């Protein structure tokens, strides 16, 4: 039988992720990355796609990377971003976001 303490542990583990998902700017960035695909967008491209300032996008991506929601990879002189957490990917599908065809 499950214990309340198990649920409380899950609440603690998920709180940082839900804080990220609760911020409209960060959620726009996540849905943009989700739509485009893994390692497609740079900071500048995400800023253009979401109509946000580059500094805002950069700060949001750093916060999301720190929590483990996104990850980055260097491709030549560029750094591109991807969703790092499969559970977050599933949540994005659950809320109705899609992938580019």
């Amino acid at each position: 039988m499950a214990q309340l303490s198990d649920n409380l542990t899950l609440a603690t583990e998920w709180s940082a992720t839900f804080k990220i998902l609760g911020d409209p700017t960060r959620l726009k960035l996540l849905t943009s990355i989700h739509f485009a695909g893994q390692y497609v967008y740079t900071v500048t491209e995400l800023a253009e796609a979401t109509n946000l300032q580059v500094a805002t996008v950069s700060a949001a991506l750093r916060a999301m990377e720190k929590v483990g929601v996104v990850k980055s990879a260097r491709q030549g002189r560029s750094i591109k971003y991807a969703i790092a957490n499969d559970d977050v990917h599933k949540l994005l599908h659950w809320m109705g976001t899609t992938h580019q065809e």
Side-chain angles (χ1 to χ4, degrees), residues 3-47:
Q3 299 293 317
L4 175 58
S5 63
D6 295 338
N7 288 348
L8 296 176
T9 299
L10 283 171
T12 300
E13 291 171 359
W14 274 91
S15 64
T17 300
F18 279 110
K19 184 176 180 181
I20 294 290
L21 295 172
D23 178 82
T25 297
R26 294 173 184 172
L27 189 55
K28 285 178 184 178
L29 293 170
L30 279 174
T31 59
S32 297
I33 293 169
H34 181 255
F35 180 77
Q38 301 287 70
Y39 302 111
V40 172
Y41 280 136
T42 63
V43 170
T44 302
E45 291 164 339
L46 276 167

Side-chain angles (χ1 to χ4, degrees), residues 70-85:
V70 298
K71 56 188 172 183
S72 61
R74 182 169 292 281
Q75 293 181 0
R77 296 178 70 188
S78 299
I79 297 175
K80 299 196 176 191
Y81 292 85
I83 295 172
N85 183 315

